[in-house]
Amino acid sequence: MLDLKLVRENPDYYKAKIESKLDDPRKIDQILEADVRRRELIGEVESLKATRNAVTADIAAKKKNKENADHLIAEMKTVSDKIKDLDSELSDVETRINDLLLYTPNAPHDSVPKGSSAADNVEVRRWETGTFAGTFKPLDHIELGKRLGILDFERGAKISGSGFPVYVGKGAALERALINFFLDTHTTNHGYKEVFPPFVVNEESMRGTGQLPKFAEDMYTITADGLYLIPTAEVPITNLHRNETFKAEDLTVRYCGYSACFRREAGSYGKETKGFLRVHQFNKVELVKFANPEGSYAELESMVNDVENILKALKVPYRILLLCTGDLSFNAAKCYDVEVWSPAENKYLEASSCSNFQDFQARRANIRFKPDANSKPEFVHTLNGSGLATSRLMVSLLENNQNADGSVTIPEVLRPYTRFSTIEPA
RNA sequence: GGAAAAGUGGCAGAGUGGUUGAAUGCGACGGUCUCGAAAACCGUUAUACCCGUCAGGGUAUCGGGGGUUCGAAUCCCCCCUUUUCCGCCA
């Protein structure tokens, strides 16, 4: 969430930023109105508390001297009642401010291009080596999956529902190979520490990273226990350090971790629902960084490079988009999407999203660092990116590596993991 | 799932319903001493919010939330976490 003090000092700046994100800038006015009332109430209630504390000390002294304090006690009784009323009004106002802040998006960084939709995103670069070069018409991943006997959407629908694909045989092995290749690459080449997080988290964690309260309907819940299935490993990994303070010299802290990801995708039926393009459960290796604010944008660039290294090694054609203000997610200050090429769909598919949240999540989750031993803690910047999600990458991988005879060639770097080099039609 | 115990400042650890933001010890920081260091000694040592240009003043915080009371770390209720024991279990 935004810093109330900064909002108070720069209301016009934040209004413009929120408007650029296609959100309602009047939220800022509502926050500031409530903030004025809040401070009035604090003034009143705290001066009453001050008198009560003083008189209470008198009462204590009188009691000690065995003097009568009945009239003071009676007086303080009414003061205490008044305090109780004001305190409850104050807590209502504070709840309101907090709710407004929780529903107010992060401000885009100044380097983010203005725009109102995905059409205004800026393509930063493109890497096309390995683009499908066959002379035949490429099959799509669903057809390939069926012919090769490696993906079973029908049985997934039977046992769980649509959007829960089953990987079979070499498909399952390939999936596992991708995950292991990603993790090995990030831990040994890119300096991330691996974690294997819980796939279910509590409500505070979901608030910490900003999924709650605004996106409650996007998540699977376990109501009996007040738990949520994670939509991304970002949630448990970022929350590892909730309510903690780093030493400055420990930053940047880099984690990578695999998790299954669960998304209800409520309201997105009909859009890209074919096969792997939009599913309720998928696999992803997530990258998370806790950075000193001074270096956080350099860390964002290097995170995108880490993702690109994976795609280059796999020889998957991709492009990098810098998202415009209007397409930027609620939490992000700046975000690059990494899209992989699907020859059958004849378009790019989002396979990774690398974002700098600045201190937006850190403030919610109270994740700080001490710049020096003697200085006050400040909020860190949090970043994360998919490194990568397997499902759409699998689409690109299968489609780009298909051969005229219907087989699919496994990229060189994956063969130590799969221990096979082709997948033949079943 | 059942039973018991415990949760106090960076850590350890006192604490009677009435100047207790909280003894004491350790640690950390500053200083004295020293050529320097150690030791010793002296001092400092939480956070958030509100008012104030500053100086400063005020309020809150003893796992969390309610309650009793003129007044709660201290009494009552609920919840959470940890530890131990029992049960179940991959």
Side-chain angles (χ1 to χ4, degrees):
Chain A
M1 63 184 154
L2 299 175
D3 183 345
L4 179 56
K5 259 186 211 158
L6 290 178
V7 171
R8 195 189 291 151
E9 286 160 17
N10 313 288
D12 293 334
Y13 173 84
Y14 282 101
K15 279 192 218 175
K17 286 291 184 187
I18 286 164
E19 198 155 25
S20 79
K21 241 181 171 178
L22 312 183
D23 208 310
D24 187 354
R26 284 173 301 182
K27 283 177 181 169
I28 297 297
D29 294 320
Q30 292 166 357
I31 288 167
L32 293 179
E33 280 163 31
D35 180 49
V36 168
R37 180 62 188 145
R38 167 177 161 267
R39 285 183 289 157
E40 279 171 15
L41 285 167
I42 287 173
E44 285 181 54
V45 77
E46 287 194 350
S47 79
L48 285 178
K49 282 179 180 174
T51 56
R52 182 179 69 183
N53 286 346
V55 175
T56 284
D58 287 351
I59 291 172
K62 283 198 195 291
K63 290 245 173 189
K64 208 169 199 172
N65 298 331
K66 308 246 192 290
E67 292 174 39
N68 185 299
D70 289 354
H71 68 288
L72 289 178
I73 289 173
E75 215 174 284
M76 284 311 102
K77 200 175 174 63
T78 66
V79 169
S80 275
D81 288 345
K82 181 77 179 156
I83 287 172
K84 199 172 276 184
D85 290 347
L86 290 173
D87 262 341
S88 104
E89 192 183 344
L90 177 60
S91 108
D92 288 348
V93 171
E94 286 181 334
T95 302
R96 176 170 162 69
I97 291 172
N98 204 38
D99 285 351
L100 284 164
L101 282 171
L102 289 175
Y103 281 94
T104 304
N106 199 2
H109 189 253
D110 288 336
S111 65
V112 172
K114 283 227 169 79
S116 55
S117 76
D120 297 320
N121 294 339
V122 176
E123 184 174 312
V124 179
R125 60 186 169 272
R126 192 182 276 230
W127 190 82
E128 293 186 303
T129 311
T131 301
F132 180 75
T135 51
F136 56 97
K137 188 177 186 313
L139 298 175
D140 70 23
H141 73 284
I142 300 173
E143 192 60 30
L144 281 168
K146 196 175 288 178
R147 293 190 187 194
L148 300 173
I150 58 172
L151 300 175
D152 192 338
F153 293 99
E154 288 76 15
R155 289 203 177 89
K158 175 171 71 180
I159 59 176
S160 301
S162 81
F164 291 94
V166 182
Y167 303 75
V168 181
K170 286 185 173 176
L174 177 57
E175 180 75 358
R176 188 159 47 87
L178 283 170
I179 292 164
N180 284 331
F181 170 62
F182 297 166
L183 288 169
D184 284 349
T185 304
H186 292 310
T187 51
T188 59
N189 299 349
H190 300 152
Y192 293 80
K193 178 186 267 188
E194 182 174 353
V195 288
F196 203 131
F199 294 179
V200 157
V201 297
N202 59 28
E203 185 178 333
E204 288 143 270
S205 296
M206 284 297 191
R207 294 182 88 86
T209 32
Q211 280 72 25
L212 287 178
K214 195 166 189 262
F215 303 104
E217 70 282 1
D218 292 340
M219 283 174 305
Y220 288 101
T221 58
I222 303 169
T223 45
D225 300 293
L227 297 169
Y228 297 81
L229 272 67
I230 56 172
T232 159
E234 164 197 343
V235 177
I237 296 177
T238 306
N239 277 284
L240 286 176
H241 295 286
R242 174 152 49 85
N243 293 328
E244 292 185 11
T245 304
F246 289 104
K247 288 184 208 143
E249 63 264 32
D250 292 339
L251 300 177
T252 302
V253 173
R254 300 175 179 83
Y255 288 112
C256 65
Y258 158 77
S259 86
C261 302
F262 304 91
R263 300 188 180 179
R264 291 185 64 224
E265 300 291 352
S268 47
Y269 292 105
K271 276 191 288 182
E272 298 188 323
T273 49
K274 274 201 306 183
F276 266 151
L277 299 186
R278 189 172 296 276
V279 289
H280 291 306
Q281 180 185 325
F282 61 94
N283 295 307
K284 181 157 63 69
V285 169
E286 185 75 357
L287 306 175
V288 174
K289 292 185 183 182
F290 300 89
N292 190 309
E294 285 176 16
S296 73
Y297 278 93
E299 291 289 352
L300 177 62
E301 297 301 322
S302 79
M303 179 180 273
V304 175
N305 285 333
D306 295 337
V307 175
E308 291 183 72
N309 285 341
I310 297 268
L311 294 176
K312 285 175 180 164
L314 292 170
K315 297 191 161 56
V316 169
Y318 68 86
R319 66 173 182 176
I320 308 293
L321 294 181
L322 172 56
L323 298 196
C324 72
T325 55
D327 205 29
L328 206 54
S329 74
F330 181 80
N331 289 320
K334 184 171 185 174
C335 177
Y336 291 102
D337 272 3
V338 180
E339 297 188 334
V340 295
W341 176 250
S342 159
E345 300 294 325
N346 196 36
K347 65 176 179 188
Y348 283 96
L349 306 173
E350 179 189 339
S352 171
S353 199
C354 298
S355 307
N356 187 351
F357 303 100
Q358 300 191 162
D359 60 5
F360 191 79
Q361 288 182 327
R363 183 170 290 106
R364 283 176 169 236
N366 189 31
I367 305 169
R368 301 179 296 173
F369 77 105
K370 275 195 163 186
D372 305 288
N374 288 322
S375 58
K376 287 193 174 184
E378 295 174 19
F379 292 111
V380 299
H381 281 190
T382 61
L383 301 90
N384 70 52
S386 349
L388 292 84
T390 58
S391 48
R392 293 187 190 147
L393 178 62
M394 182 79 91
V395 171
S396 180
L397 212 57
L398 293 175
E399 291 180 2
N400 280 295
N401 292 299
Q402 60 184 304
N403 305 308
D405 65 359
S407 66
V408 166
T409 304
I410 301 297
E412 208 79 50
V413 290
L414 284 181
R415 292 180 194 173
Y417 294 92
T418 57
R419 288 177 291 168
F420 51 80
S421 54
T422 58
I423 305 178
E424 309 290 343

